[in-house]
Amino acid sequence: MAPTSSSTQRKVLLVGWAGANWQALQPLLDAGAMPALNALRTAGAWGNLAPIKPCVPPMLWTSLSTGTRADKHGVCSFFEPTDEGTGLSRVAAAQVRRPTVWNALSTDKQSSVVVNWPATAGGEQPHAFVASDEYFRQIHSATQARRDSQYTNGRLAKHVIECRCAAGDSADERFGRVLDALCHVHSVACGLVEEQPWRLAAVCYPAVQELVDCSPNPLTRAELTRSAWRLLDAMLAELMSAAGEAVNLIVASPCGDAGASTPLAQMGILAAVGPSIEPERQVYGATILDIAPTVRRLLRLKPDSAADGRVLSDMLCQEAADRRSPYDLTPRDAAADAPRGAECRRSSFEVAPEVVSADESQLELVRWNQRLNLAHALHDSNRVTDAIACWRTLWEERPAEPAYGVNLASCLLRDRRLDECRGVIERLPKSEREGVEVQLLLTRLALASKDIAEASALAMELSARREADPHTLGEAASVLLECGHPDAAEAALRRAIEIASGNAAAHVGLARVWWQRDDAEQTAAEARKALAIAPAYAEARFLLAEALHRAGREREAIPEFERCLRDQWRTSDAHSHLAGLYAKRDAAMAVRHRELAGV
């Protein structure tokens, strides 16, 4: 028999918002302009969602829906050359090599609804109702595209009018099509969510930035941005209403402002609420790779053994966090779960990826970008051996691109292939070798080669550069500290904080300085400053725990080490510390931690 408890029947509504970050949305939330998102964040779990590199939308959205990086899921660009090599088409479901969450549901004979998700064209399955991104693109690229009024009701109409008024006469001819497409996606999503049976509904809304880019006037763009986010918030409220009760809702943005100078602005957003979600819970350390494993857990699907992400157990209530067996469904229930009238209804959404003719130079550019994006993805994932092979080949084919050589040298250094790294740097142009990035590589290379005098001299020179940014100063300080120069390291870190006050990494660096000076109280103070800026900073948490332990504040140290275990940071060391801390408190716990530490 299939499970009958209500908890096993929970649905998941996954909503994708492109380009959202909390820094940009906070003024709207404070002004009460986004009540749906504000209620979601207040009642449920929320946090930042770290992107992965490179920030290419089809790659990011596919990583979010599969829980894997590009080298596994296979999507590395916007376009794909045709098999005949005569044209290009947008990436489609055929290019996705790992199962998405709706693929996994379909295998389990359970239904899903997928609307406007990138790389889904041609991916129709017996139990997945897919209105692909290509469907909406082809509809709204046509000159006879319908007006947004055909897709909106009274509750949304005022927000649509706001957008049109904010754009004014300065918006170009694309504005109407983009707004129409946004309203159309929402209309189809609400209709399918209301009419079709589903365990998972995944809806990806067009980016607000696409609307904003239609207006060249800076004053108009600011008001249009606010109006567009208010419209999206109203759409979220309506979609939630269409989904009904007993639904676990997750709103996710795989990347914030990719061009922003601060890491926080580059972060996407995560907000979730529902029967299986812990209320009033802030989530730390989440990445876009964690969404698919978490959705699988909520739906009681078998985990993907190739997933690069983890289940966000901290935001799930205990019942949901403990689920590990796949959802059991009898053949009879599976048949009843199939979409009603699916064959006649879904045919109106089925479109083949549009193929455009391309000459050899255009095809070569797409193939090159695919290889380049794959190299960046491997580099970012620390799959160094594969990244080295990619960067080496790219640089051999285009030796005039020094950035490829710099990335190759960086990977070689991480792989401890020091002579090869030195040889690559020597081949770079002089102007490139004198730049900050390569000088940092040379500094790290000297330290790895145990040439302390050379590493110290290079780090001193870098920290004295007038143009040094906080990252450069932090890296130089790290080397200076390793070389036994805590005073010089402290000076560099304090200069970094002067440039950017909210610099958690610089406070961690200062905590290390005070740790080297054997001052546990100052170490703890700087670690707390770092955690106040970035609560998920696991290294800061461990430094704080060690400092509290050394200062004799054992009761405070225990929960900090236990948090390090939950964050999976230096687990063996954390278990060793906890074994000592529990020795006089709880003998059984002490023995358990010694065993887990491998002592």
Side-chain angles (χ1 to χ4, degrees):
M1 292 292 292
T4 57
S5 70
S6 60
S7 65
T8 61
Q9 303 294 338
R10 300 294 188 211
K11 298 178 177 181
V12 174
L13 174 59
L14 176 60
V15 177
W17 280 3
N21 70 83
W22 290 118
Q23 281 192 331
L25 297 182
Q26 193 60 52
L28 289 168
L29 293 168
D30 293 341
M34 299 185 73
L37 182 63
N38 195 47
L40 180 61
R41 193 170 82 160
T42 302
W46 69 279
N48 290 309
L49 199 58
I52 55 177
K53 295 179 181 178
C55 288
V56 177
M59 297 175 71
L60 295 179
W61 288 114
T62 308
S63 288
L64 193 148
S65 63
T66 63
T68 59
R69 293 179 182 269
D71 59 308
K72 294 181 181 178
H73 65 58
V75 174
C76 290
S77 69
F78 288 91
F79 296 95
E80 183 76 17
T82 59
D83 293 339
E84 300 79 14
T86 57
L88 295 170
S89 64
R90 294 268 180 174
V91 289
Q95 280 78 55
V96 182
R97 297 199 300 255
R98 294 304 308 170
T100 61
V101 283
W102 48 87
N103 293 151
L105 267 177
S106 199
T107 300
D108 208 38
K109 297 183 179 179
Q110 299 184 67
S111 293
S112 56
V113 164
V114 184
V115 180
N116 198 47
W117 208 273
T120 52
E124 291 78 12
Q125 298 180 48
H127 300 278
F129 200 114
V130 180
S132 71
D133 58 328
E134 185 68 16
Y135 164 76
F136 293 101
R137 186 178 296 111
Q138 291 185 21
I139 287 291
H140 291 278
S141 64
T143 55
Q144 68 270 24
R146 289 165 281 184
R147 299 287 291 177
D148 56 70
S149 58
Q150 293 184 245
Y151 311 121
T152 56
N153 57 29
R155 285 177 295 178
L156 291 182
K158 68 174 185 177
H159 296 287
V160 172
I161 292 170
E162 270 187 26
C163 286
R164 289 195 174 277
C165 291
D169 297 331
S170 63
D172 61 31
E173 71 282 355
R174 296 173 299 157
F175 179 81
R177 290 200 302 271
V178 175
L179 185 57
D180 293 349
L182 172 59
C183 294
H184 191 189
V185 167
H186 176 67
S187 174
V188 169
C190 287
L192 293 180
V193 163
E194 286 179 334
E195 295 173 7
Q196 299 296 321
W198 50 275
R199 289 291 316 288
L200 167 72
V203 183
C204 182
Y205 282 89
V208 161
Q209 194 61 40
E210 291 183 31
L211 271 178
V212 177
D213 287 343
C214 297
S215 177
N217 186 331
L219 296 176
T220 301
R221 289 166 67 92
E223 182 55 38
L224 181 55
T225 300
R226 290 190 287 270
S227 298
W229 281 119
R230 285 195 290 265
L231 171 59
L232 212 60
D233 187 77
M235 289 177 169
L236 175 63
E238 191 169 75
L239 186 62
M240 291 167 61
S241 177
E245 299 179 354
V247 172
N248 290 304
L249 167 66
I250 298 175
V251 178
S253 177
C255 185
D257 183 356
S261 57
T262 62
L264 276 179
Q266 296 173 10
M267 296 276 193
I269 70 168
L270 169 65
V273 72
S276 303
I277 306 297
E278 283 284 358
E280 301 178 13
R281 176 66 59 89
Q282 189 164 0
V283 180
Y284 300 114
T287 78
I288 67 171
L289 298 168
D290 303 330
I291 299 300
T294 303
V295 171
R296 280 175 174 257
R297 175 65 60 83
L298 287 168
L299 295 171
R300 302 193 71 185
L301 293 169
K302 183 179 179 181
D304 182 358
S305 59
D308 294 310
R310 63 184 175 91
V311 175
L312 296 172
S313 300
D314 282 357
M315 81 173 197
L316 304 182
C317 66
Q318 196 60 47
E319 177 194 8
D322 290 342
R323 291 178 193 160
R324 298 191 180 277
S325 59
Y327 185 79
D328 183 23
L329 202 65
T330 65
R332 181 178 178 179
D333 287 329
D337 193 45
R340 297 182 295 271
E343 295 307 317
C344 61
R345 291 185 180 181
R346 82 160 34 100
S347 60
S348 60
F349 294 106
E350 288 182 352
V351 295
E354 185 177 13
V355 176
V356 296
S357 59
D359 59 30
E360 189 54 41
S361 63
Q362 293 170 319
L363 293 169
E364 178 55 31
L365 178 61
V366 169
R367 294 189 188 102
W368 185 266
N369 284 336
Q370 288 177 327
R371 294 168 61 194
L372 184 60
N373 289 336
L374 176 60
H376 279 297
L378 291 166
H379 197 152
D380 183 59
S381 67
N382 208 26
R383 293 178 179 128
V384 182
T385 302
D386 292 334
I388 287 171
C390 286
W391 287 123
R392 193 188 300 280
T393 303
L394 291 170
W395 198 35
E396 286 173 353
E397 294 182 25
R398 295 194 182 178
E401 293 285 351
Y404 301 161
V406 174
N407 285 325
L408 173 59
S410 173
C411 289
L412 288 166
L413 179 58
R414 283 158 67 180
D415 206 33
R416 307 289 297 179
R417 292 156 68 169
L418 306 185
D419 290 339
E420 289 182 71
C421 175
R422 190 175 290 107
V424 167
I425 292 175
E426 289 172 356
R427 290 167 54 196
L428 293 170
K430 182 180 178 182
S431 59
E432 197 73 26
R433 292 199 305 271
E434 292 175 350
V436 168
E437 189 174 4
V438 176
Q439 287 297 304
L440 278 173
L441 278 176
L442 286 169
T443 304
R444 285 290 180 190
L445 180 59
L447 185 64
S449 303
K450 303 189 185 307
D451 189 343
I452 303 302
E454 177 70 7
S456 300
L458 287 168
M460 292 280 193
E461 192 275 329
L462 279 169
S463 63
R465 285 195 179 193
R466 177 178 294 180
E467 73 275 17
D469 60 13
H471 171 72
T472 301
L473 291 167
E475 289 291 314
S478 178
V479 172
L480 288 168
L481 194 59
E482 289 189 60
C483 293
H485 302 291
D487 293 345
E490 182 182 2
L493 290 164
R494 296 207 180 278
R495 185 181 163 204
I497 292 171
E498 287 177 9
I499 297 171
S501 57
N503 190 336
H507 286 291
V508 166
L510 286 172
R512 290 200 213 99
V513 168
W514 289 110
W515 183 258
Q516 193 174 99
R517 291 170 174 165
D518 200 22
D519 190 326
E521 293 294 343
Q522 286 291 342
T523 300
E526 291 295 340
R528 288 191 191 280
K529 290 178 184 178
L531 289 167
I533 298 167
Y537 206 150
E539 186 177 358
R541 181 81 54 191
F542 193 87
L543 276 167
L544 172 61
E546 282 193 311
L548 292 171
H549 193 180
R550 181 179 287 186
R553 295 158 62 180
E554 297 183 352
R555 289 184 180 275
E556 296 175 67
I558 288 173
E560 300 300 343
F561 279 122
E562 289 175 340
R563 172 66 185 270
C564 291
L565 291 178
R566 291 199 299 273
D567 293 342
Q568 298 183 339
W569 182 263
R570 294 183 62 177
T571 54
S572 180
D573 291 335
H575 281 301
S576 293
H577 279 283
L578 287 167
L581 287 164
Y582 276 113
K584 295 180 180 180
R585 289 176 170 80
D586 187 327
M589 285 288 286
V591 170
R592 178 62 175 154
H593 281 296
R594 279 198 297 272
E595 291 173 349
L596 292 169
V599 177

